[in-house]
């Protein structure tokens, strides 16, 4: 746990973990934490956060049941940091399918790997801060390292790639050290940051059903795949539901409305009762 500063002790040997490095992702994490709590899980909910996150934003996360663990970004080299600066990363590997919000810093993504340092847990499930848990996922704690869902949001070809917004892991300092050594090698450039790296580090990744990480663009690109009663985790990849307005807000209105119901304090709908895509 070197470099991790927990605000409180672990209460379980299993944890859902997310990452927050700024106020916008703290907004995302609030809705996520509320959605996880509503599934009735007894696993810990850990928010890995950098010192930059404001005390008031952190207090709101604690109020929702989070165990806060402060940490720094990875100790990567200047060359690595320059290669993965927002400007370089967007120029070298442009996003053509959707837009990344202005508050998204590619380098921050790599701090996800810190979860391998959470060695007071036997098993963890990572969730991006822009996800919502719509059904209990505790079963995943019994799954091996490393499981993730395919990065499906456009076509069948997407099944070749994994998405790092949801995955299972077994924390171990030895794994963390091996990752750091493999990550920051001379000339390293990971076009989709932690996602490209994890797919390389775990080439035989186990596939989770797409429903464990249903990407929002499936709603309009592959509506025949949408099944509210099967979706366990909904993931707002690219534009975020709290960005107002964003280029796809109209197309995604029902999903944004669902996110808002979790972000607010009121009732949330039963997903299986929701209408599907037209
Ligand atoms: N993240 C963060 N700050 C950043 C970028 C990313 O805290 O500046 C965390 C946050 O948990 C976020 C995840 O890393 O959900 C991955 O980024 P994002 O979800 O924006 O990527 P996408 O799913 O759109 O590929
Ligand atoms: Mn995401």
């Amino acid at each position: 746990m070197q470099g991790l500063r927990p605000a409180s002790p672990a209460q379980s040997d299993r944890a859902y973990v997310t990452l927050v490095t700024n106020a916008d992702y703290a907004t995302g994490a609030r809705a996520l934490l509320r959605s996880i709590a509503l599934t009735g899980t007894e696993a810990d909910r850990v928010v890995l956060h950098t010192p930059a996150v404001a005390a008031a934003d952190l207090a709101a996360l604690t109020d929702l049941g989070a165990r806060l663990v402060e940490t720094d970004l990875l100790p990567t080299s200047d060359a690595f940091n320059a290669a993965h600066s927002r400007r370089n990363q967007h120029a070298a590997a442009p996003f053509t399918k959707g837009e990344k919000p202005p508050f998204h810093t590619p380098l921050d993504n790599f701090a996800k790997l810190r979860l391998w340092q959470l060695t007071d847990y036997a098993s963890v499930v990572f969730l991006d801060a822009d996800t919502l848990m719509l059904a209990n996922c505790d079963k995943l704690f019994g799954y091996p390292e490393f499981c993730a869902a395919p990065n499906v949001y456009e076509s069948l070809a997407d099944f070749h790639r994994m998405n790092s917004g949801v995955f299972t892991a077994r924390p171990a300092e030895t794994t963390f050290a091996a990752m750091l050594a493999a990550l920051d090698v001379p000339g390293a450039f990971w076009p989709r940051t932690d996602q490209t790296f994890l797919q390389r580090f775990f080439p035989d990744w186990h596939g989770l059903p797409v429903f464990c990480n249903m990407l929002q663009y499936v709603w309009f690109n592959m509506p025949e795949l949408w099944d509210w009663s099967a979706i366990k985790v909904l993931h707002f990849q690219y534009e975020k539901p709290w960005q107002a307005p964003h280029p796809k807000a109209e197309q995604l209105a029902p999903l944004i409305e669902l996110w808002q119901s979790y972000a607010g304090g009121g009732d949330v709908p039963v997903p299986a009762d929701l209408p599907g895509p037209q």
Side-chain angles (χ1 to χ4, degrees), residues 18-22 25 100-101 103-105 108-109 112 126-130 235-238 240:
T18 193
L19 171 68
V20 169
T21 71
N22 60 40
Y25 287 101
K100 288 287 183 184
F103 50 79
H104 178 273
T105 304
D108 292 10
N109 285 354
K112 270 186 205 182
F126 179 83
L127 298 149
D128 268 7
D130 59 346
H235 184 180
F236 295 84
Q237 103 284 13
Y238 291 122
K240 305 309 172 207

Side-chain angles (χ1 to χ4, degrees), residues 185-205:
V185 292
F189 176 62
W190 304 99
R192 292 292 175 259
T193 63
D194 67 293
Q195 182 161 282
T196 318
F197 174 74
L198 287 168
Q199 185 165 339
R200 175 80 65 84
F201 195 82
F202 296 108
D204 57 349
W205 55 287

Side-chain angles (χ1 to χ4, degrees), residues 206-228:
H206 304 283
L208 295 174
V210 286
F211 301 112
C212 289
N213 184 359
M214 183 53 89
L215 301 173
Q216 63 176 347
Y217 285 15
V218 171
W219 179 259
F220 54 76
N221 278 337
M222 307 170 84
E224 66 280 9
L225 195 58
W226 203 272
D227 178 358
W228 279 119

Side-chain angles (χ1 to χ4, degrees), residues 68-151:
L68 300 180
V69 178
E70 188 184 84
T71 189
D72 301 311
L73 298 185
L74 298 181
T76 42
S77 66
D78 291 345
F80 184 95
N81 298 349
H84 297 90
S85 71
R86 188 176 159 95
R87 206 160 56 121
N88 270 14
Q89 200 257 343
H90 281 242
F95 294 96
T96 56
K97 317 282 187 180
E99 280 185 22
K100 288 287 183 184
F103 50 79
H104 178 273
T105 304
L107 197 59
D108 292 10
N109 285 354
F110 294 102
K112 270 186 205 182
L113 305 184
R114 291 276 194 194
L115 70 82
W116 270 273
Q117 294 192 277
L118 289 168
T119 50
D120 41 14
Y121 298 111
S123 180
V124 303
V125 173
F126 179 83
L127 298 149
D128 268 7
D130 59 346
T131 60
L132 287 178
M133 193 179 287
L134 302 186
N136 188 289
C137 291
D138 288 351
K139 201 173 132 183
L140 296 181
F141 291 116
Y143 286 24
E145 175 173 283
F146 174 92
C147 301
N151 193 23

